Amino acid sequence: QLQLQESGPGLVKPSETLSLTCSVSGDSISSTNYYWGWIRQPPGKGLEWIGSIYYSGSTFYDPSLNSRVTISVDKPKNQFSLKLSSVTAADTAVYYCARQSGSSVHPYYIDVWGKGTKVTVSS
Amino acid sequence: DILMTQSPDSLAVSLGERASINCKSSQSLFYSSNNKNYLAWYQQKPGQPPKLLIYWASTRESGVPDRFSGSGSGTDFTLTISSLQAEDVAVYYCQQYYHSPPYTFGQGTKLEI
């Protein structure tokens, strides 16, 4: 059974870089037809798709975050990671890692979610 | 960006009654090359991650009760719960995954009894 587990600091200072890792168990991150992505949910608000990556390294990002976000894959560790630079209080949210069904050129719907990790941006 | 607008924002339905949630996109989500609508529905209960209910606008995810159904095409979509159960109390989101990112979500609809 596929499981996704987020890990990383729960508190990040403004202007610093938020770094999270998602460990994948029960499936290979090199599986075809799946992307690995990040979604966040600010407190009391809705869902925001951040971006996703294919095992080949092909990435799709929210253009509004594009200059600050990097998603990468570590195949030997079966993990993928999120880096979000120059964070502000507006980046405070629960961050979910997820598996996104897709073709080799396009992500589709999100079929498996991690439990989420709360990240607060504060000095 | 494609804007996704759900209605209503909140909904109260009696147990056993039908619940319908609407989702409207700012542009068509129908791709004629494969005859598919690039829309999914998710259910989120308090303190839990979202759960996939419906994809391709009307395909029910494995294990999802058949009281949940999705319909619509183009820009207008509906999630219907045919007979509301107590465990269906949640926030429901639609999401488009049509071509270019960002793959935006609706603002959510809170379903109560």
Side-chain angles (χ1 to χ4, degrees):
Chain A
Q1 181 182 355
L2 177 66
Q3 291 190 326
L4 306 176
Q5 179 65 58
E6 305 89 351
S7 59
L11 181 64
V12 182
K13 290 182 168 57
S15 79
E16 295 190 344
T17 296
L18 179 160
S19 296
L20 296 174
T21 296
C22 183
S23 298
V24 179
S25 59
D27 191 13
S28 169
I29 206 163
S30 297
S31 295
T32 56
N33 298 322
Y34 290 110
Y35 287 73
W36 306 93
W38 294 91
I39 301 94
R40 68 183 182 180
Q41 187 168 34
K45 295 188 178 181
L47 301 165
E48 300 176 357
W49 180 86
I50 298 171
S52 56
I53 188 167
Y54 200 52
Y55 77 95
S56 62
S58 174
T59 53
F60 291 79
Y61 296 138
D62 182 338
S64 71
L65 299 173
N66 195 50
S67 62
R68 297 198 292 134
V69 67
T70 303
I71 298 176
S72 58
V73 166
D74 187 331
K75 294 178 200 174
K77 292 185 178 180
N78 218 39
Q79 295 176 337
F80 62 104
S81 298
L82 169 71
K83 291 188 185 300
L84 184 65
S85 64
S86 305
V87 296
T88 69
D91 295 309
T92 293
V94 174
Y95 285 76
Y96 296 100
C97 64
R99 188 180 76 173
Q100 202 167 349
S101 180
S103 70
S104 60
V105 295
H106 181 213
Y108 298 149
Y109 50 89
I110 301 161
D111 64 348
V112 181
W113 298 70
K115 293 183 179 180
T117 187
K118 184 177 181 180
V119 178
T120 301
V121 178
S122 175
S123 56
Chain B
D1 297 1
I2 297 177
L3 179 65
M4 305 298 290
T5 304
Q6 292 181 225
S7 62
D9 289 333
S10 63
L11 180 63
V13 176
S14 301
L15 289 173
E17 295 298 305
R18 177 186 296 257
S20 293
I21 298 170
N22 300 305
C23 176
K24 188 174 183 67
S25 59
S26 60
Q27 68 181 72
S28 177
L29 304 181
F30 180 73
Y31 189 43
S32 56
S33 297
N34 60 10
N35 211 37
K36 290 180 183 291
N37 285 282
Y38 284 50
L39 182 107
W41 288 97
Y42 303 90
Q43 175 194 64
Q44 187 178 31
K45 296 180 179 180
Q48 295 185 19
K51 171 189 173 184
L52 176 66
L53 297 175
I54 303 283
Y55 56 95
W56 299 126
S58 61
T59 302
R60 196 180 305 112
E61 172 71 332
S62 175
V64 173
D66 61 6
R67 63 180 181 274
F68 290 91
S69 64
S71 62
S73 183
T75 61
D76 292 281
F77 302 90
T78 301
L79 174 70
T80 301
I81 308 172
S82 60
S83 177
L84 190 71
Q85 305 298 303
E87 61 265 31
D88 300 335
V89 169
V91 179
Y92 292 83
Y93 295 93
C94 60
Q95 184 206 15
Q96 65 81 18
Y97 45 94
Y98 187 81
H99 293 313
S100 300
Y103 301 120
T104 44
F105 293 87
Q107 80 277 17
T109 294
K110 186 175 184 179
L111 178 58
E112 300 172 310
I113 295 174

